[in-house]
């Protein structure tokens, strides 16, 4: 569990948030097992509508600055810099009529999102 403390923007009211570093949704576990993969790498890169975008790769190489999260024999790997942007988020697999993809949802650190994916 991580703790984030600070002051609400434009006020002097303090806040404290407690959240798990990363939540792996059962939909992500199920899809990785269907793909016969055990590791998913999540990175945050510059670009996209809001200035950042999420990137997903099937990659089992763990580097020195990586954090590894596990659920049901599935691993989600992210570097510490990317984790600072997605901490407290949920990694899930989402299917709709025109596409299906892994995604980051419920990011408590995002001020807004876009609908372009």
């Amino acid at each position: 569990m991580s703790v984030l403390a600070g002051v609400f923007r434009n006020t002097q009211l303090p806040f404290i948030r407690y959240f798990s570093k990363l939540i792996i949704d059962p939909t992500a576990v199920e899809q990785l097992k269907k793909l016969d993969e055990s590791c998913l790498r999540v990175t945050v890169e510059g670009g996209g509508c809001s200035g950042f975008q999420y990137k997903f790769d099937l990659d089992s190489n763990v580097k020195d600055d990586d954090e590894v999260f596990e659920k049901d024999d599935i691993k989600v790997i992210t570097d510490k810099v990317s984790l600072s942007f997605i901490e407290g988020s949920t990694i899930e697999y989402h299917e709709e009529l025109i596409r299906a993809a892994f995604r980051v949802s419920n990011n408590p650190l995002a001020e807004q999102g876009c609908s372009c994916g």
Side-chain angles (χ1 to χ4, degrees), residues 75-92:
K75 295 178 184 173
V76 173
I77 304 167
T78 187
D79 63 271
K80 291 179 182 175
V81 173
S82 293
L83 181 60
S84 70
F85 290 100
I86 61 173
E87 190 168 0
S89 298
T90 300
I91 306 301
E92 63 185 13

Side-chain angles (χ1 to χ4, degrees), residues 11-22:
T11 73
Q12 293 301 312
L13 299 173
F15 71 87
I16 298 177
R17 285 194 307 216
Y18 297 90
F19 47 84
S20 297
K21 285 193 172 192
L22 207 56

Side-chain angles (χ1 to χ4, degrees), residues 44-110:
V44 178
E45 297 181 338
C49 299
S50 63
F52 297 101
Q53 60 187 0
Y54 305 119
K55 182 179 175 190
F56 300 92
D57 292 299
L58 301 175
D59 178 9
S60 60
N61 296 322
V62 178
K63 301 171 187 158
D64 290 339
D65 70 333
D66 284 342
E67 296 266 351
V68 179
F69 303 91
E70 294 186 54
K71 181 176 183 177
D72 299 334
D73 300 321
I74 295 298
K75 295 178 184 173
V76 173
I77 304 167
T78 187
D79 63 271
K80 291 179 182 175
V81 173
S82 293
L83 181 60
S84 70
F85 290 100
I86 61 173
E87 190 168 0
S89 298
T90 300
I91 306 301
E92 63 185 13
Y93 187 77
H94 182 74
E95 294 182 81
E96 48 188 66
L97 289 175
I98 59 172
R99 68 176 165 189
F102 290 100
R103 71 178 183 182
V104 174
S105 65
N106 303 318
N107 186 340
L109 303 174

Side-chain angles (χ1 to χ4, degrees), residues 19-36:
F19 47 84
S20 297
K21 285 193 172 192
L22 207 56
I23 300 160
I24 305 170
D25 190 82
T27 57
V29 172
E30 182 181 328
Q31 183 61 25
L32 284 166
K33 288 183 176 182
K34 282 182 189 176
L35 295 172
D36 206 20

